[in-house]
Structures are given as C-alpha cells and as structure tokens.
C-alpha cells in the first residue's frame, strides 16, 4: 500500500496543470481516488460533506449484488450439469464451470463500458464517474448465459453512449443504462435473449438429456403449462433456468436487506412495486380468463426477474422518481405494468424490463405533479392564514 | 448590373441547407417521412429525389406567380401547386420504378404535407425571385435527401447487411456468429440515428448549439 502511495505521489506532478501528461489527468484521478480516499478539501466557505460519497454508494450496491452473482455462477454450472444428466458433480466443479461461463461476460461488460467512460471523461475534461461500476455488474446479471460476447459489448456501448453520455454522463441519464443494454439486445437480437435454449449454458449448440427443458418458469406460464412451473421453494432458492443473476430470490432478498439497511436503495420503491405486482396478480386471479391469470400472486412475484428488477433497477437513484410521494406512485406502477405486460403479451415474456424503462420516462412527470400538488396545498394554507 | 446565375450568394442558397441550415437536423422538419422510408437505401434515394424535385419546382412556380396570388388564399394556391407536382412525381414513380413506388406507398402522397415544402414556400418563395427560390428549394430538398440517404445507408447496412439490395457484409462473418441488428429495421432506430447525426453535426459546428 505504502509503495503504491509513493508511486502515485511520484508521478502525480506530471498529471497536474503544466505537467507532461496533463491531458490524462482525469484518468489519473480516477485511479488515484479508486485506490485511496481523496484528500481534496474545499478552499472557499464551509461545506458539509457526507461520508457516503458516490464511490461508496456504488461500492455498496456492488456488495449487495455479490450474493446474486455468486449464486448465478453456481446455478449456471448446476443447470449445465443438469442438462447433461450429470447429477453427481462436486460443488467446486460446478462453480468452476459456472465461473468460466459468467466471468467473460462480466469482463466484456466492464472493459467496454469503462473504456467508453474514460474516453468521454478524457475528451470532455471531466473526472471519471463511478456510475458504470454498478451498471457494469448489472449488465451480466441480466443476460442469458449463452449470450455472444460481442453482443454484450455492442449493447454496453449503446447503453453507455446513447443512454448516458448523450445526456451528459452519470447522474443525467433518463433510463437505467443496464436495462437499456438489455432492451437493446432484446429488440436487436431477439433470438439470443428469448426462447428455451439460451438460459442454460451450452444448450444453443449442444443436446440436453431427455426430459430436460431449458424453459424458464415464465415460458411455461406463457404457454399455459402452469403445471410445469417448478415448486415455490425452487423458485425461491433459484434452482431454475433464467438470466444469470435473477434466479435466486433468497440472494436478492439479502441484497435488498443490505440496500435498505444502508439507506442506499429506497424501500418505498421496493415495497410499492411489490404491492403493485401483487395487486395486479390479484386482479388477474379475479378475472381468471386463462391459466396464466390464475397463477397465485406469490408464484407470480417469484417468477422471472420481477424481484431483481424492483430491488436493483427500479431503485436506481438517478432514473427513479425523486420525491418521496412520487416514489410510491413510481414503484406501484412498475409492479402493475410488469405483471400486465407479462400476462397480456406473450411476445414479451418478461415485462419488468419494459415496465421499469417505461416508468423511467414518466419519473420526472410524476415528480413534477407531486411538487406542484405540494405548492398548491401550501398556497391554500397560507391563503387561509392571511384571510383569517 | 445583372448577377451571375451561380454567384456566391446564390450558391449559398444551395449549400446552406446541406449543413448549417439542414431542414432535418437543424430546422427539424420532415422527420416523419425520414423515419418511415429509410429502412432501405433505395427508397430513401428515390424519396430524396422526389422531394428535391417537388421543393425545387414548387418554389419556382410559386415564386413566379407570387405577385398575383391574393394573400388571403395563398395557402390554397400553394397546396394546389404542390399537390399537382406530387401527383406528377407519383405517376412517374409508378411508371418507371414500380417496386420502389409500392414500398414508399403512401409517403409519396404525403410529400404534400411535408413541412419542408410548405415551409420553404412561405418563408422563401413568397418573397424572393424565381431563380433564387428554385435554388433554395433544390438546396433544401438535397439537405433533406442527404440525411435520408445517410440514415438509409446505416439502417440497411446494419439492419439487413445489404446496400441497395446487394449483400455487403460477407458470409463468413455470419458463420462466425455475426447477426443483423433487428432494432435497425424498427422506426425508433431511425430516430436514434438522426439523433446521432445531430449530435455529431453540433459537435463539429459549435455555432449550432443553443445558447442557454
């Protein structure tokens, strides 16, 4: 550590104003603040600084994502051996197999995204923002394991350039970048992100043993084979095919707890989205027009990426509603639309992605009306006081 | 003294709309058809030519009769001229390039309502001499066409791997796992492509950026 610090101090002058590599000072800053707590102090006036700066916030989300990532790696290996009919495989072999499949996706996502972020920061003379650290982890977690790596790269580039940099970088984006990357693949290369083959490693080219289908619970539900949906405890623990990080609800709940305790993820959004989802599925239960509508609310919220979406994506502080009341409306509608899209449109097997992106669009509008309503209320009150 | 036909001032009418005064990227007119006809390059080119012909000649005709048009009914007169020109263009397309005409379907007819045509008539032809008006019309049509062709180029190349119907992306790339981008064929991507063009254009020409 000491040696590293000394090394940084030694090369620092070259990156400062007038130095040889002045142009690259944002790159240097990024690495320095990544490794050490920045020692910058303000020179004018007094500022209150929260110890929880953006870097710590982002690191916290990453930590909250670790359980889903670890389980995703294990499940990738587990599903692979299951599809090959091999049930007597050791734990570490499963993890190793999964790691070999998942790690390249993580690396591609980070390398593409971070190089674009660095390039833009460099060109604009900004500091490099940490925003991509989370997106770069979320992107692999919401991909099917068989996704070709170049598609991950293209989608990440699309999301970072058009979803973020075009709007002005971290903190300015209208849409959640990770979801944008997934939506891009969903519409551009639908064959690689839907169907029964893409969710289990090796299934797109290889053969599975008889009786094994790579279909996700959502696919079973959409084809009205509701009896094929795995039992609740499997859905909860995550021994099912699906996007890498979404399968284990237990891991997601651990992450959610961490986000709520540290105050980084808004519990209001999570709870109201859950309420929205349950409300919609209860309405469907009442209508009961087809087998999909008759699925119980508990199964509905356990299927697909609903929980993953509302815990990690809907709570994205940039693209979500900012006002406290607005968060309830925003979350509730996400839950409602997720289930609605899922059940009504068989072409879109999972509605969570589209529901969150849709509500991202409306978040500023919701905030606007909440603020307006508040102003109106207070105007009325003050009018009453002055009249009295 | 008589001004030469292609004086610097007149030439500017022709080249201005290509970049700094582009009808699509700067005036933001005619977006609708730009989204609809740019899935492939060929219809985009045909559409670009058709619009250029219509803007050019409608500007010329209206400008020649501008002093005889009663101001109250000028919009109707303009529309009659545009509509006649569009019908001529439509009939020509049907006669000579029937397949493209079918692909463009209703959008040739909709040139009548293209804001660029009407906009140039109102803003320019009603107040300027015929030759200058004609140049302005052709320039704006070409500016519109330029963007249309650029968008059509990328959408056809990335969306179906072809240009003008010829396979451009080699077969071995597909065998290596390359796939055509399905999003490029959908209308939203046309809007995004135009957005990217606007982004690039404004980064290159700082004076276009709104001061606010």
């Amino acid at each position: 550590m000491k040696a590293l610090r000394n090394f940084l101090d030694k090369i620092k002058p070259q990156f400062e104003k007038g130095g040889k590599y002045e142009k690259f000072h944002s790159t240097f800053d990024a690495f320095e603040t990544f490794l050490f707590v920045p020692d910058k102090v303000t020179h004018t006036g007094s500022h209150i600084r929260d110890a929880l700066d953006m870097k710590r916030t982002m690191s916290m989300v990453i930590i909250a994502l670790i359980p889903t990532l670890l389980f995703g790696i294990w499940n990738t290996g587990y599903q692979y051996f299951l599809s090959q009919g091999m049930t007597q495989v050791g734990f570490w072999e499963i993890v190793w197999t999964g790691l070999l499949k998942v790690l390249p996706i993580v690396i591609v996502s980070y390398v593409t995204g971070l190089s674009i972020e660095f390039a833009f920061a460099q060109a604009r003379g900004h500091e490099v923002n940490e925003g991509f650290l989370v997106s770069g982890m979320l992107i692999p977690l919401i991909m099917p394991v068989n996704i070709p790596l170049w598609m991950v790269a293209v989608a990440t580039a699309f999301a970072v350039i058009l979803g973020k940099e075009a709007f002005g970088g971290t903190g300015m984006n209208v849409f959640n970048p990770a979801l944008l990357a997934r939506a891009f693949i969903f519409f551009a290369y639908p064959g690689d992100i839907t169907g029964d083959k893409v969710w289990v490693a090796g299934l797109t080219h290889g053969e599975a043993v008889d009786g094994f289908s790579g279909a996700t619970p959502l696919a079973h539900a959409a084809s009205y084979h509701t009896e094929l949906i795995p039992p609740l405890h499997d859905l909860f623990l995550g021994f099912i095919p699906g996007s890498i990080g979404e399968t284990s609800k237990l891991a997601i709940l651990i992450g959610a707890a961490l986000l709520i305790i540290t105050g980084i993820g808004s519990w209001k959004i999570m709870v109201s989205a859950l309420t929205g989802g349950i409300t919609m599925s209860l309405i469907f239960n009442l209508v009961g027009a087809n087998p999909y509508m008759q699925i119980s609310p508990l199964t509905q919220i356990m299927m697909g990426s609903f929980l993953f979406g509302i815990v990690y994506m809907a709570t994205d502080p940039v693209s979500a509603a900012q006002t406290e009341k607005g968060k309830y409306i925003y979350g509730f509608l996400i839950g409602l639309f997720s289930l609605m899209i899922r059940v009504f449109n068989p072409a879109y097997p999972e509605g969570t992605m589209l529901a969150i992106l849709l509500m991202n669009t409306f978040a500023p509008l919701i905030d606007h009306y909440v603020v307006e309503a508040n102003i109106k209320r207070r105007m009325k009150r003050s009018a009453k006081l002055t009249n009295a | 003294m008589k001004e030469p036909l292609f004086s610097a001032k007149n030439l500017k009418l022709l080249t201005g709309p290509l970049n700094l005064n582009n009808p699509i990227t700067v005036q933001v007119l005619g977006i609708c058809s730009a989204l609809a006809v740019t899935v492939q390059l060929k219809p985009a080119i045909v559409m670009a030519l058709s619009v250029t012909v219509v803007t050019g000649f409608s500007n010329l005709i209206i400008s020649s009769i501008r002093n005889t048009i009663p101001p109250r009914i000028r919009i109707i007169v303009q529309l009659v001229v545009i509509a006649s020109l569009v019908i001529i263009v439509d009939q020509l397309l049907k006669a000579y390039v029937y397949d493209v005409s079918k692909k463009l379907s209703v959008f040739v007819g909709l040139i009548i309502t293209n804001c660029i045509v009407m906009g140039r008539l109102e803003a320019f032809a009603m107040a300027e001499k015929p030759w200058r008006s004609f140049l302005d019309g052709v320039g704006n049509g070409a500016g519109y066409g330029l963007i249309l062709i650029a968008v059509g180029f990328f959408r056809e190349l990335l969306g179906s791997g072809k240009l003008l119907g010829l396979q451009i992306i080699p077969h071995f790339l597909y065998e290596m796992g390359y796939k055509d981008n399905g999003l490029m064929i959908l209308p939203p991507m046309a809007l995004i492509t135009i957005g990217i063009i606007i982004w690039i254009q404004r980064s290159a020409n700082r004076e276009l950026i709104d001061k606010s």
Side-chain angles (χ1 to χ4, degrees), chain A residues 120 124 150-151 158 161-162 166 184 187-189 192, chain B residues 176-183 186 189 192 196 199:
Chain A
F120 268 94
R124 290 176 169 168
W150 68 270
M151 283 182 196
F158 176 87
I161 295 175
L162 291 178
F184 177 81
F187 288 106
Y189 312 106
D192 291 278
Chain B
M176 280 163 66
Y178 177 81
K179 277 184 187 145
D180 289 327
N181 189 324
L183 192 59
L186 304 174
M189 207 55 197
I192 293 174
I196 296 173
W199 189 6

Side-chain angles (χ1 to χ4, degrees), chain A residues 364-383:
Chain A
L365 187 72
I366 296 172
D367 281 341
H368 173 77
Y369 279 111
V370 170
V371 171
E372 288 291 308
N374 197 34
I375 292 173
K376 227 183 228 165
R377 193 173 54 86
R378 298 192 62 156
M379 287 290 255
K380 238 185 223 162
R381 196 166 62 193
S382 74

Side-chain angles (χ1 to χ4, degrees), chain A residues 41-57:
Chain A
V41 286
T42 47
H43 295 289
T44 49
S46 56
H47 288 67
I48 296 175
R49 286 212 163 193
D50 196 337
L52 198 70
D53 67 349
M54 185 147 75
K55 203 155 275 169
R56 307 303 155 224
T57 312

Side-chain angles (χ1 to χ4, degrees), chain A residues 103-289:
Chain A
L103 206 58
I105 305 180
V106 179
I107 293 173
V108 167
S109 143
Y110 267 120
V111 169
T112 321
L114 284 179
S115 29
I116 294 170
E117 288 255 331
F118 271 80
F120 268 94
Q122 208 66 80
R124 290 176 169 168
H126 288 179
E127 279 179 46
V128 176
N129 276 314
E130 297 83 357
F132 190 75
L133 291 179
V134 170
S135 309
M137 181 55 84
L138 280 171
I139 290 172
L141 289 178
I142 51 176
M143 293 290 165
V145 66
N146 279 334
I147 193 84
L149 292 177
W150 68 270
M151 283 182 196
V152 179
V154 171
T156 310
F158 176 87
V160 174
I161 295 175
L162 291 178
K164 227 161 113 182
E165 296 303 341
F167 291 99
T170 306
M172 308 290 217
N173 43 311
V174 181
F175 300 107
N176 183 314
L179 275 181
L180 216 54
R182 192 179 201 275
F184 177 81
I185 296 189
F186 186 79
F187 288 106
Y189 312 106
D192 291 278
I193 203 160
T194 47
D196 293 349
K197 301 261 181 218
V198 301
W199 311 105
V200 177
L203 213 58
T204 30
H205 297 296
E207 282 288 312
V209 288
D210 286 345
F212 181 88
S213 116
T216 60
L218 285 172
H220 289 309
S223 57
Y224 297 160
H225 292 299
T226 44
E227 73 283 356
L228 290 177
I229 295 174
L232 263 184
H233 57 88
D234 273 6
L235 289 179
F236 182 73
L237 292 173
F239 305 131
I240 46 170
S243 297
I244 294 168
E246 75 177 22
T247 54
S248 173
K249 310 306 170 298
L250 179 67
I252 293 168
L253 287 182
I254 296 173
L258 209 63
L259 287 181
I260 292 173
I261 292 168
T262 52
I264 287 170
S266 160
W267 63 268
K268 289 174 188 164
I269 295 179
M270 295 186 206
V271 170
S272 54
L274 204 59
T275 322
I278 293 172
T279 313
M280 197 68 218
S281 48
L282 284 175
I283 295 173
F284 281 142
N285 280 353
L286 283 179
V287 180

Side-chain angles (χ1 to χ4, degrees), chain A residues 27-44:
Chain A
T27 311
F28 176 80
D29 276 355
F31 278 111
E32 194 195 12
T33 51
F34 181 75
L35 293 166
F36 294 100
V37 177
D39 56 355
K40 264 187 204 145
V41 286
T42 47
H43 295 289
T44 49

Side-chain angles (χ1 to χ4, degrees), chain A residues 339-381:
Chain A
L339 276 264
M340 201 191 277
I341 297 170
R342 183 194 275 187
V343 172
F344 281 166
N345 194 340
Y348 298 155
E350 179 52 298
T352 314
M353 169 181 83
L354 297 167
I356 296 177
L357 285 175
L358 179 72
M359 289 317 296
N360 279 171
T361 325
F362 286 108
L365 187 72
I366 296 172
D367 281 341
H368 173 77
Y369 279 111
V370 170
V371 171
E372 288 291 308
N374 197 34
I375 292 173
K376 227 183 228 165
R377 193 173 54 86
R378 298 192 62 156
M379 287 290 255
K380 238 185 223 162
R381 196 166 62 193

